[in-house]
Amino acid sequence: MHRFLIFLTALLAGCAAWNAPLNTALETGTNAALVDPDSAASGEDDIYIGLAFSGGGTRASAFAYGMAEALRETGVSVKTPNGLLDNVRLVSGVSGGSVTAAQLGLYGPQGLIGYREKYLLTDAEKYMANSLFNPLTVAKGIAGGANGRDSFGRYIDEVLFKGATFGDLRKRSHIKTWINATDIANASQFLFSPETFDALCSDLSRLPIAEAVAASAAVPLVFTPIVLQVHQGKCAYKEPDWLTAARFNPEASAAMRAHARALESYSDPEKVKFVKLLDGGITDNFGTTGLAVERARAQAPYAPMTAAEAVRLKRLLFLVADAGVQHDYSWTQTAKGPGGPGLGAAVANAAISSATRSGYDAMRGEMKRWQEDLIEWRCALPAHEVRRLRGAAPGAWDCADVKLFVGMANFDGVDPAMHKALNKVPTRLRLKPEEVDLVIEAGRIATRNAPEFNGFVQSLAGNDVESRIADGIARGGRRVMPVGQ
């Protein structure tokens, strides 16, 4: 059998699934922002919520959905019929979490109505070759990937995105949507952002959203890499000032330098002609590195917000969803093992988990500094500039009245019996209905029990009890201090 697989691998190496690049050249100018900064957003002007949805197959998609529903069920005012979900301004997604992130980003809160039936309860493996008992499937996986974009990417486009592009997202959404993949040549996070596509001389607005989500969820061997062509010389690309500065700045973070090196490599045809993308969880399974990099390279104290958003801001919540299952301790009960696939999985999980934790910690550090920068910037503004940026916003303005809360919702936020059941839910793109509903409910409960979420909601109630809180949530747990205090 072993020799047969080697033979099949060699035979299929030249005909394994692969994805022809779909991205087109950028004909003029630079890529537009993911969202129109002047577009009218729903919700309260002084509340800003960012969400990061982790990887983990449909389990992660369902957990993210439950988390979003917990926000919807937490009312704020008559201006927010979808509760706190109307105040989401940023969503970042990795792998399975990128499906829910893209759905929320493209369609807004209304896009999650019926999402359980439309996607979570369906078979997203419908077009996939995934049987380990099929030698052809195994051999194609070893040769580069058992499935191309015509499997999972095709499915999510049919049932969710309907051919929508990043240009469509900009036209209809006020939620900045970050889809995260991994550039395997540069061993760095790849963010589907205007800045990245400027470096590729490629038009992001014409790229299908399903292509980005397929790249974010492209588990090695199961999927072949999503390929992007670098269109060097097709645009007048000029590297951003922060990239030039990072090259000579010894204090630049490792993540910022890695991002800078990747962008730099795209302008050199001797290095990169085609970018190969795999699962974003390889480099950051929480999708938080993008925010840390965004802040580290920011040339304005308020970025990635606009100046108007930063002046109106009072409370910010950045909540990370971790849909990862508990570690496997079965092989630690004996002196022997692990071996073979078990050893490979253990090594990969250790590396991914370590990188993800580091990314999360870096992001928290950047958020703490961001709060300090925001207050310093706001308090230095002249009165006329404050009036211009606030517009007709009601009430008095306190330049120091800014609090940022950063936290995580995970399986630790549920009772032990549910936690044990959740650990049995597989990382697949097809789950049983009872598994889907279990994970959705876990997302709701974990969010409501997250101390930082409770602290955020309590801070809203403390600021304006009568007009802010229309519905309450159960409050408990330890006392939470905002980031930076």
Side-chain angles (χ1 to χ4, degrees):
M1 181 68 173
H2 178 66
R3 291 181 179 179
F4 179 58
L5 285 177
I6 293 176
F7 169 73
L8 282 177
T9 301
L11 181 65
L12 293 171
C15 59
W18 67 285
N19 298 305
L22 297 182
N23 62 306
T24 58
L26 182 63
E27 296 177 354
T28 59
T30 58
N31 283 283
L34 285 171
V35 295
D36 183 351
D38 296 324
S39 64
S42 59
E44 302 280 353
D45 287 343
D46 54 0
I47 302 175
Y48 190 107
I49 295 177
L51 303 173
F53 297 147
S54 77
T58 297
R59 185 184 65 245
S61 303
F63 189 81
Y65 171 72
M67 183 174 163
E69 287 303 288
L71 294 179
R72 189 197 300 274
E73 293 159 3
T74 305
V76 179
S77 74
V78 294
K79 292 174 63 178
T80 56
N82 296 295
L84 288 174
L85 199 56
D86 279 329
N87 293 104
V88 173
R89 303 286 185 261
L90 170 67
V91 61
S92 178
V94 179
S95 197
S98 72
V99 184
T100 307
Q103 182 75 1
L104 175 61
L106 180 63
Y107 300 113
Q110 297 303 110
L112 295 184
I113 297 175
Y115 179 65
R116 171 182 174 272
E117 294 74 21
K118 187 184 301 182
Y119 175 70
L120 296 176
L121 294 180
T122 67
D123 180 9
E125 298 177 5
K126 178 179 178 180
Y127 301 127
M128 288 175 54
N130 56 12
S131 173
L132 293 177
F133 298 102
N134 185 332
L136 291 175
T137 299
V138 174
K140 288 176 70 175
I142 296 173
N147 298 276
R149 71 159 61 88
D150 59 347
S151 55
F152 179 60
R154 169 188 172 189
Y155 184 78
I156 56 175
D157 200 45
E158 287 179 355
V159 301
L160 295 176
F161 306 128
K162 314 295 184 183
T165 65
F166 279 89
D168 294 319
L169 188 149
R170 176 180 167 82
K171 292 175 184 176
R172 68 176 63 166
S173 178
H174 66 269
I175 300 175
K176 183 177 290 188
T177 306
W178 287 346
I179 306 299
N180 303 268
T182 295
D183 176 344
I184 54 179
N186 280 298
S188 65
Q189 181 208 40
F190 182 95
L191 188 63
F192 284 82
S193 69
E195 180 178 66
T196 304
F197 274 68
D198 283 347
L200 295 173
C201 278
S202 183
D203 190 346
L204 178 60
S205 69
R206 298 173 64 181
L207 188 78
I209 291 173
E211 183 81 343
V213 175
S216 182
V219 177
L221 303 184
V222 178
F223 295 99
T224 192
I226 293 295
V227 181
L228 299 176
Q229 183 175 357
V230 185
H231 297 279
Q232 289 119 342
K234 298 292 181 65
C235 70
Y237 174 67
K238 181 181 181 297
E239 67 178 37
D241 293 340
W242 73 263
L243 193 157
T244 307
R247 191 179 292 120
F248 304 103
N249 182 5
E251 296 184 1
S253 68
M256 183 176 175
R257 287 189 176 190
H259 183 55
R261 282 195 298 270
L263 296 186
E264 192 175 30
S265 73
Y266 301 154
S267 63
D268 185 353
E270 295 296 320
K271 289 183 178 179
V272 180
K273 293 182 179 179
F274 297 94
V275 180
K276 310 292 179 66
L277 303 175
L278 283 174
D279 193 317
I282 297 171
T283 46
D284 175 14
N285 201 40
F286 289 168
T288 57
T289 301
L291 185 58
V293 171
E294 182 91 1
R295 281 300 311 142
R297 66 174 180 75
Q299 295 181 324
Y302 48 79
M305 289 182 173
T306 65
E309 286 176 327
V311 164
R312 295 168 185 167
L313 177 69
K314 286 188 177 180
R315 299 293 178 266
L316 182 147
L317 171 68
F318 193 81
L319 199 59
V320 178
D322 177 11
V325 298
Q326 191 178 54
H327 300 296
D328 180 12
Y329 292 106
S330 60
W331 51 267
T332 66
Q333 302 304 305
T334 63
K336 183 181 179 181
L343 178 60
V347 172
N349 286 336
I352 291 171
S353 297
S354 177
T356 297
R357 288 192 297 268
S358 297
Y360 177 71
D361 289 343
M363 182 271 295
R364 283 183 60 86
E366 285 297 334
M367 293 291 278
K368 178 180 179 179
R369 287 186 286 274
W370 189 22
Q371 176 172 300
E372 297 167 352
D373 291 346
L374 277 174
I375 292 175
E376 181 179 358
W377 173 76
R378 283 161 52 111
C379 291
L381 285 173
H384 68 86
E385 185 67 2
V386 173
R387 287 192 296 270
R388 183 185 72 82
L389 292 171
R390 289 192 78 216
W397 185 71
D398 179 354
C399 68
D401 186 17
V402 178
K403 294 180 182 178
L404 276 59
F405 297 80
V406 182
M408 183 182 295
N410 56 28
F411 293 168
D412 291 338
V414 303
D415 64 65
M418 177 177 273
H419 196 162
K420 185 176 180 180
L422 290 166
N423 283 329
K424 296 179 181 179
V425 178
T427 305
R428 296 195 57 171
L429 296 173
R430 176 182 63 192
L431 297 179
K432 299 174 183 177
E434 58 269 26
E435 292 173 329
V436 169
D437 289 335
L438 173 71
V439 178
I440 290 173
E441 186 59 20
R444 280 192 174 100
I445 294 172
T447 300
R448 291 169 179 158
N449 288 343
E452 294 80 7
F453 177 72
N454 279 282
F456 172 74
V457 174
Q458 289 172 18
S459 77
L460 300 181
N463 275 327
D464 194 352
V465 176
E466 293 185 1
S467 64
R468 284 286 191 193
I469 302 299
D471 297 307
I473 65 170
R475 298 186 178 95
R478 63 179 173 82
R479 181 171 180 264
V480 179
M481 296 300 292
V483 173
Q485 293 193 6

